[in-house]
Amino acid sequence: CGKSTLLKHLIGIETASQGEIFYSGQKFEANTDEAERIRRTFGVSFQGGALWSSMTLEENVALPLEQYTELKSKEIRDIVDFKLSLVGLAGFGHRYPSELSGGMQKRAGLARAIALDPKILFFDEPSAGLDPLSSRRLDDLILELRDALGATVVVVTHELPSIFAIADTALFL
């Protein structure tokens, strides 16, 4: 029905043929410098995790910090270790995505999504493919991170239990 398409418009991967998107009163047009500035306040967790398979978890989480900050290597390592610990993956930074379970891959993707302390976290089907217990744990983690970061969370999902666990406001398509 267009849930993921709506998300792609909200983060600027696709351009809407009609309508406008605003963040904090700023018009968001996908291919502008202003959109790039706004996009850096986002954290995005894609359905499949979207981790680089040739990179360790540490390297995956460090990537946005290396690209978008002037931090030194030691500072980046400290932040990466902290973000991995926040999602329950302390000590797993040396592993590659293929060495992890599906739930761990999703949490690793989440660690990368929060690397830059985003104001808005976007999730595309965060619990897809997870068993009910892992799904509930991920929902709880999303709420903990929302509160810790003071972030707005936008979740695209068809999982009603997740909607009821996470949402303050829901839009049904």
Side-chain angles (χ1 to χ4, degrees), residues 33-50:
D33 290 339
E34 181 63 17
E36 185 59 32
R37 186 193 64 74
I38 293 170
R39 198 177 287 113
R40 287 192 187 161
T41 68
F42 298 167
V44 182
S45 181
F46 294 98
Q47 184 172 342

mmCIF file of all heavy atoms in Angstrom, residues 33-50:
data_model
loop_
_atom_site.group_PDB
_atom_site.id
_atom_site.type_symbol
_atom_site.label_atom_id
_atom_site.label_comp_id
_atom_site.label_asym_id
_atom_site.label_seq_id
_atom_site.Cartn_x
_atom_site.Cartn_y
_atom_site.Cartn_z
ATOM 1 N N ASP A 33 21.169 21.123 -1.122
ATOM 2 C CA ASP A 33 22.123 21.193 -0.012
ATOM 3 C C ASP A 33 21.392 21.232 1.321
ATOM 4 O O ASP A 33 21.845 20.636 2.299
ATOM 5 C CB ASP A 33 23.018 22.431 -0.158
ATOM 6 C CG ASP A 33 23.994 22.314 -1.319
ATOM 7 O OD1 ASP A 33 24.271 21.174 -1.759
ATOM 8 O OD2 ASP A 33 24.486 23.365 -1.783
ATOM 9 N N GLU A 34 20.268 21.931 1.364
ATOM 10 C CA GLU A 34 19.481 22.007 2.596
ATOM 11 C C GLU A 34 18.962 20.621 2.977
ATOM 12 O O GLU A 34 18.966 20.251 4.150
ATOM 13 C CB GLU A 34 18.315 22.985 2.433
ATOM 14 C CG GLU A 34 17.460 23.147 3.670
ATOM 15 C CD GLU A 34 18.215 23.724 4.870
ATOM 16 O OE1 GLU A 34 19.296 24.305 4.702
ATOM 17 O OE2 GLU A 34 17.701 23.572 6.000
ATOM 18 N N ALA A 35 18.545 19.845 2.002
ATOM 19 C CA ALA A 35 18.083 18.481 2.279
ATOM 20 C C ALA A 35 19.213 17.629 2.841
ATOM 21 O O ALA A 35 19.004 16.828 3.751
ATOM 22 C CB ALA A 35 17.525 17.837 1.016
ATOM 23 N N GLU A 36 20.416 17.814 2.337
ATOM 24 C CA GLU A 36 21.573 17.067 2.851
ATOM 25 C C GLU A 36 21.838 17.433 4.308
ATOM 26 O O GLU A 36 22.133 16.569 5.125
ATOM 27 C CB GLU A 36 22.803 17.327 1.985
ATOM 28 C CG GLU A 36 24.000 16.503 2.372
ATOM 29 C CD GLU A 36 23.765 14.996 2.296
ATOM 30 O OE1 GLU A 36 22.992 14.529 1.444
ATOM 31 O OE2 GLU A 36 24.364 14.279 3.120
ATOM 32 N N ARG A 37 21.719 18.699 4.643
ATOM 33 C CA ARG A 37 21.901 19.139 6.034
ATOM 34 C C ARG A 37 20.832 18.513 6.928
ATOM 35 O O ARG A 37 21.135 17.991 8.001
ATOM 36 C CB ARG A 37 21.862 20.662 6.137
ATOM 37 C CG ARG A 37 22.185 21.182 7.539
ATOM 38 C CD ARG A 37 21.834 22.645 7.713
ATOM 39 N NE ARG A 37 20.412 22.931 7.588
ATOM 40 C CZ ARG A 37 19.488 22.627 8.510
ATOM 41 N NH1 ARG A 37 19.827 22.014 9.603
ATOM 42 N NH2 ARG A 37 18.221 22.946 8.323
ATOM 43 N N ILE A 38 19.593 18.540 6.476
ATOM 44 C CA ILE A 38 18.495 17.948 7.244
ATOM 45 C C ILE A 38 18.689 16.446 7.365
ATOM 46 O O ILE A 38 18.509 15.863 8.437
ATOM 47 C CB ILE A 38 17.133 18.286 6.594
ATOM 48 C CG1 ILE A 38 16.840 19.785 6.700
ATOM 49 C CG2 ILE A 38 16.010 17.477 7.238
ATOM 50 C CD1 ILE A 38 15.648 20.257 5.883
ATOM 51 N N ARG A 39 19.091 15.804 6.285
ATOM 52 C CA ARG A 39 19.266 14.347 6.268
ATOM 53 C C ARG A 39 20.310 13.898 7.294
ATOM 54 O O ARG A 39 20.225 12.802 7.829
ATOM 55 C CB ARG A 39 19.641 13.878 4.860
ATOM 56 C CG ARG A 39 19.424 12.406 4.641
ATOM 57 C CD ARG A 39 19.725 11.966 3.217
ATOM 58 N NE ARG A 39 18.705 12.402 2.280
ATOM 59 C CZ ARG A 39 18.897 13.300 1.307
ATOM 60 N NH1 ARG A 39 20.061 13.846 1.106
ATOM 61 N NH2 ARG A 39 17.916 13.639 0.511
ATOM 62 N N ARG A 40 21.267 14.727 7.585
ATOM 63 C CA ARG A 40 22.288 14.363 8.573
ATOM 64 C C ARG A 40 21.746 14.332 9.988
ATOM 65 O O ARG A 40 22.425 13.885 10.904
ATOM 66 C CB ARG A 40 23.481 15.314 8.478
ATOM 67 C CG ARG A 40 24.280 15.036 7.234
ATOM 68 C CD ARG A 40 25.589 15.723 7.234
ATOM 69 N NE ARG A 40 26.220 15.531 5.933
ATOM 70 C CZ ARG A 40 27.183 16.265 5.460
ATOM 71 N NH1 ARG A 40 27.658 17.252 6.190
ATOM 72 N NH2 ARG A 40 27.701 16.027 4.279
ATOM 73 N N THR A 41 20.521 14.805 10.171
ATOM 74 C CA THR A 41 19.877 14.705 11.486
ATOM 75 C C THR A 41 19.031 13.437 11.581
ATOM 76 O O THR A 41 18.358 13.221 12.576
ATOM 77 C CB THR A 41 19.002 15.940 11.790
ATOM 78 O OG1 THR A 41 17.873 15.953 10.909
ATOM 79 C CG2 THR A 41 19.792 17.229 11.666
ATOM 80 N N PHE A 42 19.067 12.620 10.536
ATOM 81 C CA PHE A 42 18.299 11.375 10.487
ATOM 82 C C PHE A 42 19.189 10.190 10.832
ATOM 83 O O PHE A 42 20.378 10.175 10.532
ATOM 84 C CB PHE A 42 17.771 11.087 9.071
ATOM 85 C CG PHE A 42 16.817 12.075 8.486
ATOM 86 C CD1 PHE A 42 16.516 12.010 7.133
ATOM 87 C CD2 PHE A 42 16.209 13.057 9.237
ATOM 88 C CE1 PHE A 42 15.623 12.886 6.548
ATOM 89 C CE2 PHE A 42 15.323 13.956 8.667
ATOM 90 C CZ PHE A 42 15.024 13.876 7.315
ATOM 91 N N GLY A 43 18.565 9.176 11.390
ATOM 92 C CA GLY A 43 19.163 7.856 11.489
ATOM 93 C C GLY A 43 18.182 6.910 10.820
ATOM 94 O O GLY A 43 16.973 7.013 11.042
ATOM 95 N N VAL A 44 18.669 6.040 9.956
ATOM 96 C CA VAL A 44 17.775 5.162 9.203
ATOM 97 C C VAL A 44 18.192 3.713 9.415
ATOM 98 O O VAL A 44 19.358 3.358 9.249
ATOM 99 C CB VAL A 44 17.800 5.499 7.692
ATOM 100 C CG1 VAL A 44 16.822 4.612 6.940
ATOM 101 C CG2 VAL A 44 17.480 6.966 7.457
ATOM 102 N N SER A 45 17.208 2.905 9.780
ATOM 103 C CA SER A 45 17.433 1.470 9.927
ATOM 104 C C SER A 45 16.558 0.775 8.882
ATOM 105 O O SER A 45 15.332 0.790 8.975
ATOM 106 C CB SER A 45 17.055 1.015 11.335
ATOM 107 O OG SER A 45 17.284 -0.357 11.485
ATOM 108 N N PHE A 46 17.218 0.215 7.883
ATOM 109 C CA PHE A 46 16.501 -0.425 6.784
ATOM 110 C C PHE A 46 16.089 -1.845 7.152
ATOM 111 O O PHE A 46 16.675 -2.460 8.044
ATOM 112 C CB PHE A 46 17.364 -0.430 5.519
ATOM 113 C CG PHE A 46 17.635 0.945 4.979
ATOM 114 C CD1 PHE A 46 18.822 1.596 5.270
ATOM 115 C CD2 PHE A 46 16.687 1.597 4.211
ATOM 116 C CE1 PHE A 46 19.077 2.870 4.782
ATOM 117 C CE2 PHE A 46 16.931 2.872 3.723
ATOM 118 C CZ PHE A 46 18.124 3.508 4.009
ATOM 119 N N GLN A 47 15.125 -2.366 6.431
ATOM 120 C CA GLN A 47 14.546 -3.674 6.725
ATOM 121 C C GLN A 47 15.601 -4.774 6.815
ATOM 122 O O GLN A 47 15.589 -5.571 7.725
ATOM 123 C CB GLN A 47 13.501 -4.028 5.669
ATOM 124 C CG GLN A 47 12.775 -5.313 5.948
ATOM 125 C CD GLN A 47 11.616 -5.522 4.990
ATOM 126 O OE1 GLN A 47 11.141 -4.605 4.351
ATOM 127 N NE2 GLN A 47 11.155 -6.737 4.908
ATOM 128 N N GLY A 48 16.526 -4.802 5.891
ATOM 129 C CA GLY A 48 17.536 -5.854 5.889
ATOM 130 C C GLY A 48 18.796 -5.486 6.646
ATOM 131 O O GLY A 48 19.779 -6.212 6.587
ATOM 132 N N GLY A 49 18.811 -4.375 7.339
ATOM 133 C CA GLY A 49 19.989 -3.940 8.074
ATOM 134 C C GLY A 49 20.910 -3.073 7.246
ATOM 135 O O GLY A 49 21.530 -2.154 7.751
ATOM 136 N N ALA A 50 21.022 -3.371 5.938
ATOM 137 C CA ALA A 50 21.845 -2.588 4.998
ATOM 138 C C ALA A 50 23.275 -2.414 5.476
ATOM 139 O O ALA A 50 23.884 -1.369 5.298
ATOM 140 C CB ALA A 50 21.185 -1.241 4.709
#
